[in-house]
Amino acid sequence: MAARNETSLQVFARAPVAGSVKTRLIPLLGDHGAAALHRSLVEHSLGVARESGLGQVELWCTPDTDDGFFRACRERFGVTLHRQCGGDLGAKMLDALEDGLERSRQVLLVGSDCPSLTAAELRAAARALREGRDAVFCPAEDGGYILVGLSHAMPALFEAMPWGTDTVMAETRQRLHNLGWRWHELAEGWDVDRPEDYLRLVREGLMAAPIPIGRT
């Protein structure tokens, strides 16, 4: 039986189809500009994950792994491609984490639109799990979270969660408390969903090539 890896890093991403990604940014950037930003964000996330040096990076794709962009990411970043399952976000995350924990002692899962997350923070998250925490999270400013790391999976953390609301992290903390788990939280981060997030991205210079406003 093959030895288990120490850590796997999973990045969730949607195929960059114009008009179907970053839809709240389309009025600012246009269909194709929003899709181009999405591609840049995915590439940035994969670069940070690889920079962390923690282990194999997995790109979890929706609706499938066939998009040419995903294949290009596999070649450029050396990632493995995996298809997200059906269901809500909780079902998708639980499936990916359980799959990863079959191969690795611990798994970190991040979104692809979180440019505030650094390689050093990924290493800190992995260290918290190695030191015996059951879980690690990076809370988001909007009340959710942009990173979850587990050393063992638990459906109770993901089922019937009010995804997309500002109570997700608070509800997750309560569930962790009910489970009796020990967890660690990184400093609060943010993701890019709204026009003001994009303007912040440009202002803070977190990515090398921001998309010009009004691109179509």
Side-chain angles (χ1 to χ4, degrees), residues 8-194:
S8 289
L9 290 85
Q10 301 177 334
V11 177
F12 265 29
R14 181 176 295 276
V17 178
S20 67
V21 292
K22 293 297 166 199
T23 54
R24 283 182 283 180
L25 286 168
I26 288 175
L28 182 70
L29 302 176
D31 289 0
H32 293 283
L37 174 64
H38 177 73
R39 288 192 293 272
S40 294
L41 287 166
V42 174
E43 290 167 349
H44 178 83
S45 296
L46 293 175
V48 169
R50 191 171 68 171
E51 181 188 348
S52 73
L54 289 171
Q56 178 62 50
V57 179
E58 304 174 359
L59 181 57
W60 283 75
C61 312
T62 189
D64 53 48
T65 60
D66 294 334
D67 191 275
F69 172 71
F70 293 145
R71 295 195 297 271
C73 287
R74 179 178 58 195
E75 296 304 314
R76 177 179 174 186
F77 296 99
V79 300
T80 57
L81 301 182
H82 307 261
R83 182 180 181 274
Q84 294 179 31
C85 73
D88 68 3
L89 179 60
K92 292 174 183 292
M93 290 198 296
L94 179 62
D95 176 72
L97 288 161
E98 288 180 333
D99 185 85
L101 286 168
E102 292 180 0
R103 298 184 300 279
S104 303
R105 293 182 175 86
Q106 56 193 37
V107 179
L108 302 178
L109 187 157
V110 300
S112 57
D113 55 359
C114 313
S116 64
L117 195 63
T118 66
E121 288 175 313
L122 291 175
R123 289 191 288 268
R127 184 165 60 250
L129 294 174
R130 286 198 303 270
E131 292 174 351
R133 305 295 175 92
D134 299 293
V136 60
F137 291 86
C138 182
E141 293 178 1
D142 63 8
Y145 55 81
I146 61 175
L147 172 148
V148 54
L150 299 178
S151 55
H152 39 277
M154 178 57 68
L157 292 175
F158 303 100
E159 295 174 344
M161 180 68 75
W163 302 110
T165 72
D166 61 5
T167 63
V168 169
M169 192 65 230
E171 173 66 21
T172 298
R173 291 186 184 105
Q174 184 59 54
R175 295 185 186 195
L176 289 163
H177 176 75
N178 293 342
L179 289 168
W181 277 22
R182 296 175 63 246
W183 77 94
H184 175 72
E185 295 186 19
L186 303 174
E188 195 171 71
W190 55 280
D191 50 18
V192 179
D193 282 323
R194 304 161 298 171

